[in-house]
Amino acid sequence: MLNIVLVEPEIPNNTGNIGRLCVGTESKLHLIHPFGFVINDKNLKRSGLDYWVHLDVTEYQNVDEWLNQIPDRSRVFLMSSHASKSYLETEFQDGDWLVFGKESVGLSAAVLALFENHLTIPMSPLIRSFNIANSVAFVVGEAKRQIGLKR
C-alpha cells in the first residue's frame, strides 16, 4: 500500500479526486491540517463521489504529529517543481510515502528540509506546475506499475 500525503490541502475538489484515486489504487491518504475547507465540504464529497466511505484516511493536526507515524524516513518522497531528480528515475516500493504540498505554494522550505528525497515531474517550461490531483495520479501510477512488476 502506498501512503499519499497532502500537506495543508486547499481545494476540496482536488482532495476529493485524490481520495477517489486512493480508493481505486488501494492507497492510504494522509491529510495534514490546516485545510482550506471543512472535511465534510459538499465539493469534497462530490469529487470523491460515493467512494469516500471506502477511503483509508488519517488526519493529523500538524506535520510533527504525522512525522511520528513514519517508520523509515528514507522511504518518504517529497514532490517539488524545484527538485532536480524526476519521479521517473526513482525505484518505488510498497509502503512508500508520496508527499504533496498545498496547491498555491507547494511544500514549505521547513517541510522540504525534513527529508532528502525530493522529486519533480518533468514538464514543459510553459507551465509552473501540474494540478495536484494530476500530479498524484502520475506518481501513484508509476509507483504502482513498478510495485506490480516486482511481484
Side-chain angles (χ1 to χ4, degrees), residues 79-123:
M79 304 304 148
S80 170
S81 60
H82 304 291
S84 58
K85 183 177 180 180
S86 168
Y87 79 103
L88 297 168
E89 302 171 290
T90 302
E91 290 188 29
F92 294 105
Q93 299 175 12
D94 199 22
D96 281 352
W97 297 78
L98 310 175
V99 184
F100 299 82
K102 61 174 130 182
E103 291 90 340
S104 61
V105 295
L107 293 166
S108 69
V111 171
L112 287 167
L114 295 170
F115 301 94
E116 293 181 12
N117 296 320
H118 299 185
L119 304 175
T120 191
I121 299 170
M123 67 187 99

Side-chain angles (χ1 to χ4, degrees), residues 1 4 14 19-20 35 39 44 47 59 81-82 90 94 109 112-114 134 136 144:
M1 175 184 298
I4 311 308
N14 288 334
R20 184 176 182 173
F35 304 157
I39 201 72
L44 175 70
S47 299
E59 293 182 43
S81 60
H82 304 291
T90 302
D94 199 22
L112 287 167
L114 295 170
N134 292 334
V136 174
K144 293 293 282 187

Side-chain angles (χ1 to χ4, degrees), residues 13-57:
N13 300 52
N14 288 334
T15 302
N17 284 322
I18 293 165
R20 184 176 182 173
L21 177 72
C22 287
V23 172
T25 59
E26 298 178 328
S27 300
K28 181 168 181 162
L29 182 60
H30 303 264
L31 301 173
I32 302 175
H33 284 268
F35 304 157
F37 52 88
V38 281
I39 201 72
N40 63 1
D41 187 299
K42 67 179 180 176
N43 292 325
L44 175 70
K45 300 290 179 152
R46 184 181 308 133
S47 299
L49 299 171
D50 55 344
Y51 303 104
W52 195 260
V53 297
H54 303 290
L55 179 62
D56 185 355
V57 61

